[in-house]
Amino acid sequence: MKRIYKNYFFNTIKVGVLTATLGLGSCSDFLDKQPYDIVRENYYTTAEEVRAGLIGVYDILGREQFYGGTYSSFLTLADEGAYYRNNYTAGPEVYNYDAANATIVNLWRFLYQGIERANFFLSKVSDTPMDEEEKTAAIGEVKFLRAYYYFILVTNWGDVPLKTTPTISVTEVDIERTPQREVYDFITQEMEEADGMVRDIQEYGHAGRITKSAVRGVLARVYLKMAGAPLNDASKYAKALEWSEKLVFPTGGQYVHSLISDYTQIFKDMAADEYNIEESIWEVELYGNRGGDFEAGRIGNLGGILNTNEPDGYSYGFIAASRKLFELYESADERRNWNIANFYYQGNTSTNPKVFYVNEIESRHMAKYRRDDEKRLPKNKNYTPINFPLLRYSDVLLMFAEAENEVNGATTRATTALKEVRDRVNASDITSDVSTSVALRDSIRSERMRELCYEGLRKFDLVRYGTFLTEMKQTQQDYTTLAPDNLKYMALAFRNVSERDIWFPIPIGELTLNNLMWQNEGW
Amino acid sequence: MIQKASTILFVFLCLFQHPVFAQSQKINGVVTEQETGKPLPGVSILLKDGGLLGVSDASGRFTVGVPGPSAILVFKYVGYVDYETTVGERKILQVKLLSDSKSLDEVVVIGYGEVQRKDLTGSVGSANVKDIQKAPVGSAIEALAGRVAGVQVSSESGKPGSSVNIVIRGANSLTQDNSPLYVIDGFPMEDANSSVLNPDEIESIEVLKDASATAIYGARGANGVILITTKKGKVGAPQITYSGYLGTQNIINKIDMMDGYEFVRLQAERAPASMDATYYSDGRTLEDYRNIDSYDWQEYIFRKANMQNHSLSVMGGNNNTKYSFSGNIFNQDGIIVNSGFSRKQGKITLDQTFSKLKVGINSTYTSTLTDGSNPATPESSFSAMNYLMFSVWGYRPVTYGDEDLLSALEDDVVDGANDYRFNPVLSAHNELRENYNHRLIVNAYAEYPITSYLKLRMTGGINNADWRQDVFNNSKTRYGYPGSTNKVNGSILYTQSNTWLNENTLTFNKKFKDHTLNIVTGLTFQENAYNRYGMSAINLPYESKGLTGLSDGEQQPLTSLRSDWSMMSYLGRVNYNYKSRYLLTASFRADGSSKFGGDNRFGYFPSMALAWRLIDEPFMKNQTLFSDAKVRLGYGVTGNNRVGEYARFSPTFVTNVGPIDNAYYSWNDVLYQGMYLGIGTPDLRWESTAQTNAGIDLAFFKNRLSLTADYYDKRTYDLLLYAELPNSTGYTNAYKNIGETSNRGVELTVSGDIIKNSEFTWNSSFNIAFNKNKVVKLTQNQESLTRTVAWDQHYREIPLYIAKKDQPLGQMYGYLWEGVYQYDDFDQLPNGTYVLKPTVTTNGNPRSSIQPGDVKYKDLNGDLVVDNYDRTVIGRGYPIHQGGFANTLQYKNIDMHFFFQWSYGNDVLNANRILFENGNMANLNQFASFADRWTPDNTQSTMPRVNGQGPNAYSTRVVEDGSYLRLKTFSIGYNFDNSLLSKYNIKGLRAYVSAQNIWTWTNYTGYDPEVAVFYSALTPGFDYSSYPRPKTFVFGLNLNL
């Protein structure tokens, strides 16, 4: 009995030893563990997956680190808004920061994340079996978005690494800054290519997608930028004119854009998740009230009319309007009391009555985006569904006027476009004052501030005009001489700003890890 | 694989045979302790190569029968050296047992075997478990601090049940976990939650330090190995042991806060215009606050906390069967209200011998509950204002109206939009934070001697742990009150980690005349599956339903995660010695891990060590000074595979994990799920550490004094580094095998009997360890690696730690503080304003805004602007040396133990002072030290004025010397006389008083210099809102029946 067991035992041992010696080979299955997340090589097999990739590229736009929050609310403000928080003395909001600043680091980080997603998308999408027309449109959108992210990079940092293929190695990571000129050429080339691929806006009926209208309007913006500082390539005015003309004088069945009659309705619609594609051509879509997704933004919450009553829409009211902007409006101009609140909430809650300002000017809040109009309930304390405008038809009209003026002088076409923008809001007819090219140029510049303030374009405009620092210092003067004592601190940003602030600093991490990187001057 | 193992186990169980004895001669005797002459009850008396014959009684007496005069008796008792004697013709035996505290014959557990201490070739530190058990703490690991040279123990805080960081011989990895491998009863685990193990259960703790000792654990041995053996049944009469204590804990020291007067004076200085409407309303003046009652909110948040521990065990056995049953209940309230830790543990071991076959099982079930929020890890770490201590320190000490600060959720004068202060007392009382952990560890083994020199051992085990984390924020908490973002909210998170292990070893053990050869070969398999599922909801409408009402609220993203890994290893070791005089150990292990692919999957880890016992050489025969002398030399390579399970793959994600990790976007107000990317490193491989160790063991005066000294040189290469990538790649981090670190150090342990006579013994043990670490190489071309600490939004991108090539890890980085600007740094303009002289450097703020009394930093590059280029090393996070000094005294029936632990040369960054010696926020109380700030009347001060902090920065101003010497443990006990106890059939009774963290000598101004908030190898010694360590006093009993 015992004997038998012993044999069985030794046989088992032999089997065990055999297994052990063969182990290296036979046990490789045992050591093979595949991740439960999808590995990249397996993408894209279906149209659904392609759409997920496309959404991923769009996702960047709504990030809190970009248009969803800090970029739109703080980084793009120039002389029209001041930071309204007296114990806050540091940060890019008040131009007192360094290359380690999180807001700047994150903007850089997410823009390149978007570019990487786009690069990956474009490297993988061509073989996916799906509807070719849909695929072409998706590729066009991705190409445009990648170019747009580069546009944000190049306008804020100058020369930046231009990367058009996905990162494959974690060790070969050094990349040089490409001269701005080449980056702009890439942007215009890609965007022009996208124009032939994306769909018309009426096919969607909303302003969340990249459409031919969006591509053309943004192309006009890019060319205007190239015509201004720092490239100062005046030949690009003609290109800006060409692309804006496509929207102002559409041909061949293209969608006809127009201004809607009520200026304020544009922004009410953005809060109410409604669209008017006649005027609002491209918007950053922000969504919901943070019910588990993270797609709501800070528009109307960081800025907006100070209100601590949550059901009505909590707003920190961080941004106060400058006297300069206020005084730029004629009193009948409908835009003034919308862009700049003419009242505040007694006790900071809207259940208490509105109180109207009398002579106080500096304490008025930026009010372009108002939480009253949100439809999604309950309202989240810190996050809103309010969309952010990226391209409006009035901007297109003003760009058209600007380009036309630079190319052909103060023509009727140019002055009419300006008049169209002013007529809508009950501003006076200034056609007779802008008969010269110089006068028209000045008028368009200040009209852009009236019309497009708080839409992420002011600093961009001032830099391309080459007047950034002088305008900022002028605003400082306004505060130090005209503001009441308790609000003089709002001059801080304008006092701190200096020549180096035309550019953002290259983030410190990029500088230390990428050996070919160098810092912008003054940082 | 488990199936195969169990089949074999079954076969073993069938090999059954009964032992038989014959008795012919009767022996009577008494067993006493050699030093004191005290009778020893419960001593096992065995027949050599045979079974148990009997056990000594309460007065040490025994009667046994032996087969004949040639019989050899062995006397065994825990903590004493085995005594062997041939019976001869004697009828009566007087046996004296020698206490084995430093016996050379003591058996030391090493991986896959054990050796006598004299035959050790590697560096293995044994902790004195008896001493450790005298510390009234919840985990043995916590008490390990200072007990073994070269073992650095730090914990983030004094929160009961919080985890402990152990680093052996300095950190190797920069970004990965540096904790050692724990092997508990043979089961290797990387995630050993030390609080799971009751200190009373521990039989021995060995720390394998050098590569020749750890290489047998190959791939996971690089950070050192802690071998823990728990108690098992022993041959002898049943022993019932109870040990328990009751006690209280208190905060060691509070931080002095400003009183009402100083607070009001500060407000008046900050905002004089507002005073008439506030603190000076109704005609009050500053003087009215001079003697007013002030709140110190620390009084309301800290409490005297109870602590109790009860362990009961029954163990015993005969020659064939050994068993033990034990249970433990431990309860520790935290010194912060509504926090604590409790443990319930049950353990059963059974060992059975069937003829030659030995089988056994050891199973432990533990259930723990850790509750209360940790002040250092708030739910939202976005802002420093979310941390509990911010509110505790910052809450106002006085009011000007009839505000009831104690019962109001928020202080009405605080601007909620900019200041997140919240009633800390209400919040701490109402927040529900409960972590439940259940862990089942079962190990079974079968051992079969194939021949007299060849032994097969197969083991199988499981380590199944699950955790449940409950969080509930009701309407009286920081995160759930009506003004909060999420309103009433809660979450539940389940985590499960199941590991199984199978190890098969063949041991050859044979003596050929003077040659002893021991060979172990083995094959092991281990596999782990990890699951995590969680849910959370906000805006819960029915608060009273608690977490059961989770489904009523707004559902938040679910957590669902799954991963697994497996390992397979071949191991082999040869121990050879010639006359126990020349010793050699060589080992080799090949590890395959699922974390690596292709050719990199297997790592090979060899080691070799030599030892020479000079004491046995003829030339040492005629001296009396040395009783032992041995030199050791070893070299080996060990590995580390602690990276994510799938770090070599580049994944695409579609999941929604949080605000950063998701890629949703909406079109036309319809939400769509998008895809985002991660990047992997396909050719990832093992991190390797090569270590050379040279050691010497000496003993003098018949072992009365002993000394062990070791020198080691560790070099870790192919570092698994969670390396930062330039963000232009589209990614922030990826794992890379890059970089190199080195650790070199000296360890010295001296122990001896200072006094030793029959009345009084005094034994001391002293250890000290010096470690010098250095970064040898970083990511390609990188000269330095900086680290931030994300304790506050304004500081999360400011580098605080730097690891520079050729310099130590964990260096603090920032500006050199130079006091404050004084009037002579300025030109005074005709209108009275001060303008900084153009020749004086700025502090990083724009020149125009700098005023007298503002903080001043050193301008290193001479450009008159303090900025990124002026940061330098401002402190060291790791000590120059550290160690412990333990003393055990015995006088008649009284025993006493006291233990000092120290750390010298390390700095602590006291971030608390950044916010509480600042004064820039309205109505925020400050540390009392801020009363001495610079004012026009107090220009001698170096403390910056109100609003004079300059830009957000770290500087030497808040770096403090973290050196300390601490009377860590003190215990005094009385052992009742056996003569008295035997009347009640009690074998032993000891009553004691014991205390922990009794006295600390330090210059550190925070709660505790032993602090490690946001701990990682690169970021040691950071303090913000930490949970203070308690001072503990307990009264306890040890009872043997």
Side-chain angles (χ1 to χ4, degrees), chain A residues 2 5-6 8-10 12-13 15 19-20 23-24 27-28 30-41 43-44 51-56 58-59 61-63 65 85 87-88 90 96 98-102 105 108-110 112-113 116-117 120 141 161 163 167-168 170-175 206 208-209 273 275 283-287 290-295 310 314 316 318 376 378 380-382 495-496 508 510 512-515 519 523, chain B residues 4 7-8 11-12 14-15 17 416-418 448 450 456 482-485 487 500 523 525-527 538-539 554-557 562-568 570 592-594 601-602 646 648-654 656 658-660 662-681 724-732 734-736 780-782 794 796-799 844-846 848-849 868-869 871 920-921 952:
Chain A
K2 200 173 158 194
Y5 276 122
K6 224 163 195 170
Y8 181 83
F9 168 68
F10 280 110
T12 312
I13 298 284
V15 171
T19 313
L24 274 172
C27 282
S28 61
F30 174 71
L31 292 178
D32 200 28
K33 301 285 181 198
Q34 291 291 322
Y36 294 93
D37 280 305
I38 301 147
V39 178
R40 248 185 228 199
E41 285 66 34
Y43 264 96
Y44 300 97
R51 193 181 66 194
L54 175 63
I55 289 281
Y58 270 93
D59 165 57
L61 288 172
R63 289 265 157 193
Q65 297 83 357
R85 195 175 177 184
N87 64 6
Y88 198 83
N96 180 15
D98 62 24
N101 181 269
V105 171
W108 174 274
R109 169 184 164 192
F110 281 103
Y112 272 106
Q113 226 172 72
E116 172 67 7
R117 289 180 196 175
F120 176 70
E141 285 167 83
K163 221 173 134 283
T167 301
I168 41 164
V170 297
T171 48
E172 287 149 36
V173 294
D174 294 341
I175 181 166
H206 65 84
R209 295 289 287 256
D273 295 315
Y275 302 89
E283 296 173 15
V284 178
E285 290 249 18
L286 294 152
Y287 170 88
R290 275 221 157 187
D293 55 80
F294 297 93
E295 294 310 294
E310 272 191 70
Y314 195 103
Y316 292 90
F318 284 149
R376 177 66 79 106
N380 185 289
K381 180 181 176 186
N382 288 333
R495 192 175 68 201
N496 288 343
I508 192 95
E510 184 73 33
T512 52
L513 295 162
N514 176 353
N515 276 307
Q519 186 53 284
W523 288 100
Chain B
K4 189 176 286 169
T7 316
I8 294 170
V11 177
F12 278 133
C14 298
L15 298 162
Q17 205 183 18
N418 297 321
Y448 185 81
I450 297 167
L456 174 74
S484 66
T485 318
K487 311 295 176 298
W500 67 260
L523 171 63
F525 299 90
Q526 192 169 8
E527 190 173 30
I538 62 171
N539 273 322
E554 284 173 36
Q555 189 192 313
Q556 296 295 296
R562 196 174 162 189
S563 64
D564 40 25
W565 56 260
S566 55
M567 267 191 80
M568 179 184 140
Y570 302 88
S593 166
S594 63
R601 176 155 280 170
F602 272 83
Y646 309 115
R648 66 193 164 102
F649 296 98
S650 291
T652 52
F653 305 102
V654 287
N656 175 14
I660 298 293
N662 76 76
Y664 284 94
Y665 195 69
S666 73
W667 286 322
N668 201 16
D669 209 33
V670 178
L671 196 63
Y672 297 92
Q673 195 170 41
M675 194 190 87
Y676 56 106
L677 307 169
I679 189 149
T681 310
E724 291 170 29
L725 298 179
N727 288 349
S728 58
T729 56
Y731 306 93
T732 53
Y735 285 105
K736 295 187 198 179
Q780 65 265 47
N781 312 323
Q782 203 180 355
H794 300 303
R796 61 179 54 219
E797 298 292 336
I798 300 176
N845 266 349
S848 55
S849 67
N868 287 324
Y869 305 104
R871 290 201 179 94
N920 73 335
M921 288 177 80
N952 298 323

Side-chain angles (χ1 to χ4, degrees), chain B residues 23-44:
Chain B
Q23 295 174 2
S24 63
Q25 188 178 348
K26 231 176 185 81
I27 309 269
N28 289 311
V30 61
V31 191
T32 55
E33 189 176 34
Q34 183 166 319
E35 286 100 348
T36 62
K38 273 197 315 185
L40 289 173
V43 176
S44 306

Side-chain angles (χ1 to χ4, degrees), chain B residues 351-573:
Chain B
D351 297 272
Q352 176 69 47
T353 309
F354 307 97
S355 170
K356 288 164 133 185
L357 173 70
K358 268 167 85 178
V359 294
I361 189 160
N362 178 345
S363 63
T364 310
Y365 177 78
T366 314
S367 147
T368 63
L369 166 62
T370 312
D371 64 341
S373 50
N374 185 344
T377 51
E379 258 74 300
S380 161
S381 60
F382 169 71
S383 165
M385 295 188 279
N386 287 323
Y387 293 64
L388 178 66
M389 296 315 292
F390 179 83
S391 292
V392 174
W393 292 324
Y395 242 59
R396 287 193 293 164
V398 285
T399 62
Y400 51 81
D402 51 3
E403 305 98 308
D404 181 1
L405 292 182
L406 271 178
S407 56
L409 291 176
E410 285 183 288
D411 183 349
D412 284 343
V413 306
V414 170
D415 164 20
N418 297 321
D419 187 329
Y420 313 147
R421 234 178 301 165
F422 189 87
N423 187 322
V425 180
L426 280 181
S427 202
H429 275 288
N430 284 288
E431 282 170 17
L432 177 117
R433 302 285 182 277
E434 292 181 335
N435 291 353
Y436 296 90
N437 178 209
H438 304 282
R439 189 185 285 259
L440 177 68
I441 303 177
V442 179
N443 288 304
Y445 71 90
E447 223 175 72
Y448 185 81
I450 297 167
T451 68
S452 62
Y453 48 84
L454 192 62
K455 189 170 74 182
L456 174 74
R457 184 181 163 95
M458 304 179 90
T459 67
I462 54 162
N463 174 7
N464 289 353
D466 62 67
W467 292 266
R468 195 180 91 219
Q469 266 168 275
D470 288 357
V471 172
F472 189 73
N473 294 305
N474 70 17
S475 60
K476 288 187 175 131
T477 61
R478 271 175 292 179
Y479 304 107
Y481 78 107
S484 66
T485 318
N486 293 336
K487 311 295 176 298
V488 175
N489 65 85
S491 67
I492 301 177
L493 180 66
Y494 287 96
T495 310
Q496 219 179 26
S497 172
N498 294 343
T499 312
W500 67 260
L501 169 76
N502 165 244
E503 297 196 315
N504 311 288
T505 54
L506 211 50
T507 307
F508 174 89
N509 210 337
K510 188 149 184 171
K511 235 180 151 163
F512 309 91
K513 287 186 184 166
D514 292 333
H515 307 271
T516 309
L517 188 61
N518 171 294
I519 301 171
V520 183
T521 59
L523 171 63
T524 78
F525 299 90
Q526 192 169 8
E527 190 173 30
N528 170 273
Y530 179 91
N531 294 293
R532 171 170 269 201
Y533 301 101
M535 56 198 129
S536 63
I538 62 171
N539 273 322
L540 303 181
Y542 308 109
E543 182 174 348
S544 59
K545 286 175 73 178
L547 282 173
T548 50
L550 215 53
S551 50
D552 309 331
E554 284 173 36
Q555 189 192 313
Q556 296 295 296
L558 294 173
T559 305
S560 57
L561 207 115
R562 196 174 162 189
S563 64
D564 40 25
W565 56 260
S566 55
M567 267 191 80
M568 179 184 140
S569 315
Y570 302 88
L571 58 95
R573 180 179 56 210

Side-chain angles (χ1 to χ4, degrees), chain A residues 142 156 187 232 245 276 316 401 442 491:
Chain A
V142 170
N156 286 303
I187 292 167
N232 292 314
E245 226 169 7
N276 46 70
Y316 292 90
D442 282 350

Side-chain angles (χ1 to χ4, degrees), chain B residues 136-138 245-247 249 305-309 330-332 1032 1034:
Chain B
V137 292
Y245 58 76
L246 284 169
Q249 310 153 82
N306 295 327
M307 181 173 181
Q308 55 177 310
N309 183 47
F330 175 74
N331 241 312
Q332 183 182 10
T1032 310
V1034 304

